[in-house]
Amino acid sequence: MKNVIQKIFLVSIFALSLTACRNEAETAEEKAQEMIENADEVKVKEDKVKIENADGSETKIKYDENGNVEKVKTDD
């Protein structure tokens, strides 16, 4: 009985960790897309996007080879 409970516990922790990692990746891409849609001025280069807002802040988004968000940097 104890062995069965341990296996169920390990499987549920593994499933939870996979779900948590997947949601973070989606959130970064959704957040970047939302910033681009709400920006006043957007400049696009090969793998980078520079966003300028009305309040003077700038955000730079860098993408990797697969098109996923690699880094987001905000300058106030």
Side-chain angles (χ1 to χ4, degrees):
M1 185 69 174
K2 185 177 180 182
N3 193 12
V4 173
I5 293 173
Q6 286 177 342
K7 288 182 181 180
I8 291 172
F9 179 72
L10 290 175
V11 168
S12 36
I13 287 188
F14 181 70
L16 180 64
S17 67
L18 289 178
T19 304
C21 293
R22 180 181 50 127
N23 288 339
E24 287 180 21
E26 292 174 356
T27 304
E29 301 220 355
E30 289 174 355
K31 186 182 279 188
Q33 187 62 34
E34 183 180 329
M35 282 189 232
I36 291 171
E37 290 173 358
N38 294 334
D40 288 340
E41 185 176 339
V42 178
K43 296 178 184 176
V44 180
K45 291 187 180 179
E46 293 176 16
D47 63 340
K48 300 174 188 174
V49 176
K50 183 177 178 183
I51 302 168
E52 296 180 11
N53 294 319
D55 62 353
S57 65
E58 293 181 353
T59 303
K60 298 174 185 172
I61 303 171
K62 184 175 182 182
Y63 294 93
D64 62 6
E65 297 91 24
N66 300 327
N68 298 323
V69 175
E70 184 176 325
K71 181 168 64 170
V72 176
K73 182 179 177 184
T74 304
D75 299 329
D76 291 326

